[in-house]
Amino acid sequence: MQKHSVLLKEKLCEGCTNCVKKCPTKAIRVHQGKATIKEELCIDCAECIRTCAYHAKYSRTNTFLELADYDYPVILIPPSFYGQFDGIKPEEIHRALYKIGFKEVRDVAVAAEALSWKTKTYLKDNPGMFISSSCPVVVRMIKILYPELLGHLLKLKAPVEIMAESIKTELREKGLAEEDTALFFITPCPAKNTTIFNPMGIEKSFLDKSIAVDLVYQEILKVLDEEVNSNDDKELITNSTHSDAIDRDKITPIPYKGFSWGQSEGELSLLDDDLSKRTLSVSGIHNVKDLLEELSRNNVKGIKYFELAACNQGCVGGVFNVANPYQAKHNILKLLDEGKNMIEQDFSKYNYDLTKDLKAIQIDRLDSNMEKAMKKLIQLEKEIDLLPGLDCAACGAPDCKTLAEDIVNGRGKRSDCIFVLRQQVEDLADKMSELAHALPPVMRNRK
Amino acid sequence: MNEQEILAKKIEKGDFQAGGEASSKLKDLLRKLGVESALIRKITIVTYELEMNIIIHSLGGEIRALVSDKAVRVIANDNGPGIDNLKKAFQPGYSTASDEVREMGFGAGMGLNNVEHYSDKLKVESNADKGTIIQAIVEL
């Protein structure tokens, strides 16, 4: 079964090791001139997609083709999506999505507003420091690299899952058959796509499909362009035969406040003022990793709540986005002026709690037996000393230490290092030369 | 399994840039040995406090870590000047750190308390001439 969303187009891979060096979990190696991703280490952060100059790393989501398979497709818009547009109103985006064929267009920001309320209560009721679990990349990174911090993750679902579950319930209550409906999510990143088939903290995702932001963006612009070109009044289009699904009742109130979740510091901005000096937002996977390292040695004090996002500037930095993260952030901040209050709703109708424990993924123990592990550890230190320590990655591993680990684990050999190999060749050449001069005594004076 | 030294790292006085290297390295090694993450957390915090103590308060020293199947022993050994008043040093909030160091966010006077809190056994020997040896043990 597929476990991740980041994939490789082998044909395009030049074996350059740029992705190998950038991967925060050291999940990539280049072997035989092609990059391979170690599944158990991949956290879907998409750093390799960002790094690859040859576009060999990519990620695939569902497309609009799947729309036709369902009588009642529903689309969920993440807050960050609104950052992709400048001057196009949320209502127009909704209208375009109805025209594309969705029966319902719903905002994840609605659940984000509710979750802010829940988070406030949670932080009041629970002593200690907490980390937001909204970004699936951060959760996966903690599971793999910082399991000692698992207990600090907020045991609440991400807004999109809260929203999806609530919509599923509504659809059931409306009497729609499960197989006729599908929840599509406009995903800004591969990681959120992954949580649909490989969820964390819940048995099963309530989402069915996801479509990458760039695909949806293009489609929406096309629809809106057609509107303009048709020279019709927008009111008229709303009532035209093409858009029987769009009646005015369907346009739900726009949850402007919740849009702030789409960019860094947004989640924090919806918490109480008395928390404001005790919260911290960090974005960008390498920054997040640095922070987690400090947290693991208890070296960040006085903070109650951390909002951590793997992408630069938050979800607006997701790799599927079209607008650059800075522009998108600005666009969202501008939209926030449109709504001063959260929309009215019953916060208690949602299921916020994670239903399964977040478990550590133990990957770097050298052996399940500690004594054997110790022997390997000593061998590992020796291997590290034998390597040049240049971290050039020409061996296909990100650095010398990792190559040494691969050697100890039987997945690499010393001569994978070009410097060691060169030394071996030199030694061999010396030996050959020595042998060449070491002719048997009887031959010595023949010349 | 016999006790085995897995880490020995010299620590220079005032070398804040290198602060955290010993504890990070030890954390990495213990993960490779398969030590449980909750215990690794305790050991990492203890080691970090001890290495920062050497950087801030001592004339330089060394951090060593020894592992058996029963416990991890972290030894911080410095070259002086020794702790004047051990009792006071363990009082929460008591610190001899300079203003400069405090401005960097250290020297809140919780270092040794944290070490005591997160370790199962703690032995401190301090001598004005010879410096300080702190042994912190976390049982596995």
Side-chain angles (χ1 to χ4, degrees):
Chain A
M1 198 197 78
Q2 189 189 352
K3 285 209 172 112
H4 293 286
S5 304
V6 175
L7 306 161
L8 177 82
K9 280 181 192 146
E10 254 201 20
K11 242 198 206 154
L12 296 178
C13 179
E14 296 278 342
C16 72
T17 75
N18 280 335
C19 59
V20 174
K21 284 182 275 191
K22 270 284 170 89
C23 175
T25 58
K26 298 181 181 178
I28 314 174
R29 304 284 187 278
V30 172
H31 285 151
Q32 260 85 50
K34 301 288 172 197
T36 54
I37 305 173
K38 292 181 160 191
E39 270 215 340
E40 70 277 16
L41 281 172
C42 177
I43 55 173
D44 291 292
C45 69
E47 277 300 288
C48 54
I49 298 181
R50 291 189 179 93
T51 317
C52 184
Y54 307 99
H55 306 291
K57 287 278 170 52
Y58 73 108
S59 184
R60 200 173 34 215
T61 62
N62 299 109
T63 62
F64 285 107
L65 290 174
E66 277 102 336
L67 200 58
D69 298 343
Y70 303 92
D71 285 348
Y72 202 88
V74 175
I75 193 144
L76 283 78
I77 310 175
S80 57
F81 189 62
Y82 293 101
Q84 306 307 302
F85 304 90
D86 184 13
I88 296 178
K89 288 196 175 111
E91 288 88 347
E92 294 177 86
I93 292 165
H94 278 225
R95 199 175 63 233
L97 287 165
Y98 278 115
K99 280 197 175 174
I100 287 166
F102 292 100
K103 295 285 192 238
E104 285 186 31
V105 177
R106 306 291 293 267
D107 273 305
V108 172
V110 172
E113 291 187 355
L115 180 57
S116 298
W117 167 81
K118 180 70 184 178
T119 304
K120 272 189 251 181
T121 334
Y122 191 101
L123 294 178
K124 267 198 196 102
D125 295 347
N126 292 284
M129 168 269 280
F130 289 95
I131 300 169
S132 167
S133 40
S134 279
C135 175
V137 175
V138 172
V139 176
R140 256 183 241 282
M141 177 176 254
I142 291 176
K143 279 163 73 85
I144 293 176
L145 296 185
Y146 301 95
E148 65 272 23
L149 298 175
L150 275 173
H152 292 283
L153 276 167
L154 210 63
K155 288 184 182 62
L156 303 176
K157 294 173 194 161
V160 64
E161 279 298 338
I162 296 170
M163 194 68 202
E165 184 176 357
S166 161
I167 296 172
K168 277 262 154 118
T169 311
E170 281 176 38
L171 298 182
R172 212 171 34 243
E173 283 166 359
K174 274 185 189 166
L176 291 157
E178 174 96 39
E179 63 272 22
D180 294 337
T181 67
L183 300 194
F184 286 73
F185 176 56
I186 305 177
T187 187
C189 64
K192 293 224 160 105
N193 181 46
T194 302
T195 56
I196 298 177
F197 52 82
N198 188 3
M200 290 178 293
I202 47 176
E203 298 293 331
K204 191 182 171 298
S205 171
F206 287 91
L207 294 168
D208 300 293
K209 308 269 170 189
S210 79
I211 306 182
V213 165
D214 52 348
L215 300 177
V216 184
Y217 175 86
Q218 292 174 52
E219 207 60 28
I220 286 179
L221 285 195
K222 216 156 74 188
V223 171
L224 294 178
D225 268 357
E226 277 166 16
E227 276 186 5
V228 174
N229 293 337
S230 70
N231 275 334
D232 277 335
D233 179 332
K234 276 171 192 163
E235 284 302 316
L236 269 174
I237 287 178
T238 308
N239 298 320
S240 77
T241 47
H242 292 292
S243 49
D244 53 339
I246 315 166
D247 61 66
R248 293 196 138 263
D249 300 340
K250 279 206 165 173
I251 306 284
T252 47
I254 303 294
Y256 286 101
K257 276 270 183 194
F259 288 174
S260 57
W261 276 63
Q263 38 90 46
S264 52
E265 288 171 52
E267 182 184 345
L268 297 183
S269 72
L270 297 188
L271 296 176
D272 272 346
D273 283 344
D274 65 319
L275 266 172
S276 65
K277 286 208 172 82
R278 294 189 296 138
T279 54
L280 187 68
S281 164
V282 176
S283 72
I285 192 67
H286 294 284
N287 297 335
V288 166
K289 193 179 169 189
D290 285 350
L291 175 81
L292 294 175
E293 188 69 36
E294 296 294 347
L295 286 182
S296 80
R297 57 169 86 120
N298 208 17
N299 197 28
V300 184
K301 284 150 194 147
I303 308 279
K304 174 77 184 170
Y305 190 56
F306 292 92
E307 173 201 296
L308 305 182
C311 295
N312 179 18
Q313 309 298 320
C315 293
V316 287
V319 77
F320 288 140
N321 287 322
V322 178
N324 71 67
Y326 313 102
Q327 181 66 56
K329 183 172 179 132
H330 171 71
N331 293 347
I332 286 189
L333 292 177
K334 245 181 1 187
L335 274 178
L336 294 183
D337 291 339
E338 303 290 322
K340 291 278 171 272
N341 299 306
M342 289 191 184
I343 61 162
E344 268 181 50
Q345 60 174 327
D346 174 14
F347 289 152
S348 65
K349 74 172 176 183
Y350 297 105
N351 293 327
Y352 299 97
D353 297 336
L354 292 179
T355 49
K356 271 174 74 183
D357 278 344
L358 294 165
K359 289 215 180 76
I361 301 174
Q362 197 163 32
I363 36 88
D364 50 4
R365 75 195 303 181
L366 293 167
D367 199 287
S368 53
N369 173 301
M370 195 167 168
E371 201 161 350
K372 282 182 187 160
M374 183 63 89
K375 278 194 182 125
K376 279 190 174 178
L377 190 71
I378 292 162
Q379 194 201 337
L380 176 63
E381 295 295 309
K382 280 184 194 147
E383 291 295 341
I384 292 173
D385 285 343
L386 287 172
L387 296 170
L390 290 172
D391 296 342
C392 69
C395 61
D399 48 44
C400 296
K401 261 175 66 189
T402 311
L403 174 62
E405 265 175 67
D406 286 352
I407 294 171
V408 170
N409 287 319
R411 290 193 288 260
K413 45 189 193 305
R414 271 179 215 161
S415 57
D416 289 349
C417 170
I418 57 163
F419 299 97
V420 170
L421 183 69
R422 210 197 78 110
Q423 190 62 50
Q424 285 173 347
V425 170
E426 190 184 320
D427 291 348
L428 192 64
D430 283 352
K431 187 124 202 179
M432 281 172 70
S433 150
E434 194 186 307
L435 283 174
H437 291 100
L439 292 170
V442 287
M443 298 179 73
R444 188 170 281 166
N445 297 319
R446 282 270 163 103
K447 244 197 244 171
Chain B
M1 192 179 79
N2 288 334
E3 194 177 53
Q4 184 96 40
E5 181 174 291
I6 59 169
L7 180 85
K9 193 176 182 302
K10 286 247 176 308
I11 314 260
E12 303 290 334
K13 170 194 171 187
D15 188 4
F16 284 91
Q17 296 304 313
E21 282 177 7
S23 51
S24 280
K25 175 91 198 282
L26 182 57
K27 183 174 88 164
D28 184 45
L29 296 172
L30 294 174
R31 279 170 62 99
K32 292 197 164 73
L33 291 176
V35 175
E36 199 196 313
S37 62
L39 296 174
I40 292 184
R41 176 115 211 259
K42 289 167 72 176
I43 298 161
T44 309
I45 294 173
V46 166
T47 311
Y48 182 64
E49 292 291 357
L50 291 177
E51 64 177 318
M52 290 315 290
N53 275 350
I54 296 180
I55 291 171
I56 297 169
H57 299 289
S58 84
L59 303 169
E62 188 185 36
I63 293 271
R64 294 194 298 139
L66 298 99
V67 182
S68 72
D69 45 7
K70 301 213 169 45
V72 175
R73 195 149 64 101
V74 181
I75 304 172
N77 194 339
D78 71 43
N79 311 322
I83 302 172
D84 252 357
N85 188 333
L86 266 184
K87 229 183 199 167
K88 267 193 178 171
F90 274 93
Q91 276 170 14
Y94 177 82
S95 175
T96 57
S98 65
D99 289 347
E100 208 182 343
V101 165
R102 282 168 201 257
E103 269 167 28
M104 294 167 81
F106 298 102
M110 292 307 291
L112 281 176
N113 295 90
N114 270 335
V115 173
E116 196 176 27
H117 179 75
Y118 288 103
S119 51
D120 295 312
K121 277 184 204 148
L122 184 67
K123 209 163 101 188
V124 185
E125 289 169 57
S126 193
N127 190 310
D129 309 323
K130 291 178 190 155
T132 304
I133 302 174
I134 301 180
Q135 273 200 58
I137 293 175
V138 173
E139 283 159 7
L140 301 183

